[in-house]
């Protein structure tokens, strides 16, 4: 009888855990569906056909990449045309300011309260950036025309106000939606939104490759080489993302008044501890200025911006240098945010843990900082190589889509992070089920003893 009750309780516990996990997954799917629907909701006052023709005439470079990150919303000039880039830019600036402004440094020491205030300031800054960017794009858009067809049939204050409010509201909604995915779903909401925007372009990209091969515009051997390279690059990304540098530690075990044999353990340091964040940060900073320059540069007095936009397009030397420096800088910067050598050394000292041959305290902190610097260097080289490899390949063959190393890296890393968090939820539910079952058995055993 008791064994049957245990089976029923275990089954009910598993069903409860699976239902919670199912609801989280369904919430993520529903949120991404809403995001995709919003990318087809046009801004009032814009001629969609003329807008598509304009992007077709100015295709290539940063505009295609920005359109890829927005899930095609820029090409349709929908309310989600800005995507989450203003929020990412605001987050970058706030994280930099939190290390330079004394008032913001004090907020970091307040724990959860300080984090909430910093998040609130980031939201306010996102609104300011979204208003400025949407107003700039909308103002420039009124001056463009396709052959005989204006993009904005009725320009003026009414269109400026409506389009600015629509684009700003779309960005704020995506920011809120990403936070809801992080809280109620699985994975990082902002990363999943960017992931969804990139993945929806994959079928069209594959179709374009086969179409170019069938028309004779692309060599079949080159197409096979690109596919094999994409698979090899994916496997390489997975291999490096799982790579670790293990630092040996010894914990003193005490038995009574005398110390017994030390217990050996490891402190893992990932090769790419910052994940995909540096690439997203660098992309947000290098994409938007170039797209603005390409639009405003056609106006009188801003012709020099057109040359700047061309130099900041993928494949050019200035773009590679600027993008590469941003990736390397953000890799070291974000790694320093996520891993504090001094704090880790203090924690090891409290736990009576030592690194063989290294004294506790400052020497341990300096040693960990040196190991972290060397590991981060190779992680930055890895991110730099994966992100810029397609630009070198484009020197020999033209890839008919914007998805390159940056997009592939984001897709693979976000998918791995999603699967890791999904496994953590499953393990946590199994642990809760076993713990509940153990508590029930202990409770029954204590009742029997009392009887």
């Amino acid at each position: 009888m008791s064994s049957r009750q245990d089976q029923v309780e275990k089954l009910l516990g598993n069903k409860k855990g699976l239902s919670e996990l199912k609801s989280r997954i369904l919430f993520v799917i529903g949120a991404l569906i809403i995001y995709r629907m919003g990318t087809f909701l046009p801004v009032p006052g814009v001629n969609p056909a003329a807008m598509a023709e304009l992007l077709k005439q100015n295709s290539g470079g940063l505009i295609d990449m920005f359109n890829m990150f927005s899930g095609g919303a820029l090409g349709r000039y929908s309310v989600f045309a800005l995507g989450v880039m203003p929020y990412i830019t605001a987050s970058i600036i706030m994280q930099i300011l939190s290390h330079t402004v004394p008032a913001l440094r004090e907020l970091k020491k307040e724990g959860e309260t300080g984090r909430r205030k910093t998040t609130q300031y980031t939201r306010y800054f996102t609104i300011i950036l979204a208003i400025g960017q949407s107003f700039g794009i909308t103002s420039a858009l009124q001056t463009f025309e396709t052959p005989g067809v204006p993009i904005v049939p009725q320009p003026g204050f009414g269109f400026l106000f409506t389009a600015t409010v629509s684009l700003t509201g779309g960005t704020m909604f995506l920011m809120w939606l990403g936070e809801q995915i992080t809280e109620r779903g699985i994975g990082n909401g902002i990363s999943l939104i960017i992931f969804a925007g990139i993945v929806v372009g994959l079928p069209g990209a594959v179709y374009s490759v086969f179409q170019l091969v069938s028309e004779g515009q692309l060599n079949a051997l080159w197409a096979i080489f690109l596919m094999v390279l994409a698979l090899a690059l994916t496997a390489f990304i997975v291999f490096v993302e799982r790579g670790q540098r293990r630092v040996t530690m010894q914990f003193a075990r005490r038995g009574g008044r005398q110390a017994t044999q030390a217990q050996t353990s490891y402190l893992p340091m990932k090769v790419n501890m910052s994940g995909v964040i540096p690439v997203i940060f660098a992309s947000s900073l290098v994409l938007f200025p170039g797209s603005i320059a390409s639009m405003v540069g056609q106006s009188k007095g801003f012709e020099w911006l057109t040359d700047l936009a061309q130099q900041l397009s993928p494949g050019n030397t200035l773009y590679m240098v600027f993008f590469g420096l941003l990736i390397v800088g953000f890799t070291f910067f974000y790694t320093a945010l996520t891993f504090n050598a001094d704090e880790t050394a203090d924690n090891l000292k409290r736990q009576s843990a030592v690194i063989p041959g290294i004294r506790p305290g400052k020497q341990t902190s300096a040693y960990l900082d040196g190991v972290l610097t060397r590991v981060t260097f190779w992680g930055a080289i890895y991110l730099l190589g994966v992100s810029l490899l397609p630009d070198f390949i484009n020197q020999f063959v033209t890839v008919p889509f914007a998805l390159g190393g940056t997009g592939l890296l984001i897709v693979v890393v976000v998918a791995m992070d999603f699967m890791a968090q999904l496994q953590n939820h499953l393990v946590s539910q199994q642990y809760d089920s076993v713990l509940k079952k153990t508590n029930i058995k202990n409770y029954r055993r204590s009742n029997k003893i009392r009887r």
Side-chain angles (χ1 to χ4, degrees):
M1 184 66 180
S2 60
S3 60
R4 181 176 298 180
Q5 289 180 352
D6 292 341
Q7 293 177 358
V8 172
E9 290 169 354
K10 183 178 180 181
L11 182 62
L12 291 176
N14 290 339
K15 284 186 175 181
K16 183 178 180 181
L18 291 175
S19 64
E20 180 185 356
L21 182 61
K22 181 180 178 181
S23 63
R24 286 180 174 271
I25 295 176
L26 291 178
F27 183 84
V28 173
I29 295 175
L32 295 181
I33 291 175
I34 293 175
Y35 161 67
R36 287 302 301 161
M37 292 174 61
T39 58
F40 290 91
L41 186 63
V43 173
V46 178
N47 188 334
M51 184 67 187
E53 183 64 25
L54 175 65
L55 290 180
K56 185 178 180 181
Q57 294 175 0
N58 297 274
S59 62
L62 290 174
I63 293 181
D64 283 350
M65 290 191 66
F66 193 84
N67 192 35
M68 176 193 68
F69 278 104
S70 64
L74 179 63
R76 294 180 286 270
Y77 207 67
S78 73
V79 294
F80 291 163
L82 295 182
V84 294
M85 291 305 175
Y87 176 73
I88 295 175
T89 306
S91 300
I92 297 171
I93 296 175
M94 286 301 301
Q95 289 189 8
I96 295 176
L97 292 178
S98 64
H99 284 72
T100 57
V101 179
L104 294 178
R105 282 205 304 263
E106 293 298 325
L107 282 179
K108 291 183 61 178
K109 299 177 182 179
E110 296 181 5
E112 183 66 21
T113 304
R115 189 188 66 82
R116 290 179 181 178
K117 289 183 180 180
T118 304
T119 303
Q120 189 175 8
Y121 294 153
T122 304
R123 293 170 182 170
Y124 293 152
F125 196 28
T126 302
I127 295 176
I128 297 175
L129 289 178
I131 292 175
Q133 293 176 359
S134 58
F135 181 80
I137 294 178
T138 304
S139 301
L141 199 63
Q142 294 183 113
T143 63
F144 290 108
E145 286 188 4
T146 55
V149 181
I151 298 178
V152 182
Q154 297 180 351
F157 176 78
F159 169 72
L160 279 174
F161 179 78
T162 304
T164 302
V165 172
S166 300
L167 293 175
T168 304
T171 297
M172 299 309 298
F173 177 79
L174 287 181
M175 181 186 69
W176 174 83
L177 188 64
E179 293 176 352
Q180 295 301 311
I181 293 175
T182 304
E183 181 180 354
R184 302 184 181 182
I186 299 176
N188 183 278
I190 300 298
S191 299
L192 285 175
I193 289 176
I194 299 176
F195 170 86
I198 297 174
V199 167
V200 293
L202 285 176
V206 175
Y207 175 76
S208 298
V209 172
F210 283 105
Q211 187 177 13
L212 291 178
V213 172
S214 63
E215 295 175 355
Q217 300 181 17
L218 182 64
N219 194 316
L221 294 179
W222 270 113
I224 296 174
F225 170 75
L226 292 176
M227 292 183 180
V228 172
L229 180 63
L231 293 176
L233 199 59
T234 302
F236 177 71
I237 292 172
V238 174
F239 173 76
V240 176
E241 290 296 327
R242 292 180 176 177
Q244 294 179 350
R245 166 68 164 88
R246 294 184 175 182
V247 179
T248 305
M249 300 182 302
Q250 290 183 349
F251 291 86
R253 296 178 58 186
R254 296 184 177 276
R257 297 182 179 180
Q258 297 180 353
T260 60
Q261 186 178 2
Q263 182 181 6
T264 303
S265 182
Y266 300 96
L267 176 65
M269 290 186 177
K270 292 186 62 177
V271 175
N272 182 27
M273 193 174 295
S274 57
V276 77
I277 299 298
V279 178
I280 296 178
F281 282 4
S283 299
S284 65
L285 291 185
V286 76
L287 285 178
F288 197 78
S291 62
I292 291 296
S294 63
M295 290 184 177
V296 182
Q298 299 185 12
S299 304
K300 293 182 179 180
F302 295 93
E303 292 82 2
W304 60 274
L305 287 176
T306 303
D307 298 333
L308 178 61
Q310 292 176 355
Q311 293 298 322
L312 285 176
S313 298
N316 293 322
T317 304
L318 182 60
Y319 167 82
M320 292 183 183
V321 172
F322 184 51
F323 189 49
L325 290 176
L326 287 176
I327 289 178
V328 173
F330 279 125
T331 301
F332 280 93
F333 172 73
Y334 198 79
T335 302
L337 290 180
T338 56
F339 187 91
N340 191 325
D342 294 334
E343 183 179 351
T344 304
D346 291 338
N347 292 334
L348 293 178
K349 189 175 182 180
R350 295 192 192 99
Q351 298 173 8
S352 300
V354 295
I355 299 175
I358 307 296
R359 290 183 178 181
K362 293 183 179 180
Q363 289 191 7
T364 299
S365 176
Y367 176 79
L368 292 177
D369 188 65
V371 173
L372 181 65
T373 302
R374 293 192 296 270
V375 172
T376 305
F377 171 78
W378 292 111
I381 296 298
Y382 147 72
L383 292 177
L384 185 65
V386 172
S387 301
L388 294 182
L389 178 62
D391 293 312
F392 289 104
I393 295 177
N394 282 335
Q395 303 295 328
F396 305 98
V397 57
T398 302
V399 181
F401 48 89
L403 178 62
T406 301
L408 183 62
L409 181 67
I410 293 174
V411 168
V412 175
V413 175
V414 173
M416 291 178 63
D417 178 69
F418 179 84
M419 293 303 299
Q421 295 199 28
L422 182 63
Q423 292 177 357
N424 289 338
H425 278 281
L426 291 174
V427 172
S428 176
Q429 289 170 6
Q430 292 178 357
Y431 175 78
D432 292 340
S433 177
V434 172
L435 184 63
K436 182 179 178 181
K437 183 178 179 181
T438 303
N439 291 335
I440 291 175
K441 287 184 176 180
N442 292 335
Y443 176 75
R444 289 175 177 172
R445 187 180 296 113
S446 63
N447 287 341
K448 290 181 179 180
I449 294 174
R450 292 176 182 176
R451 293 177 183 176

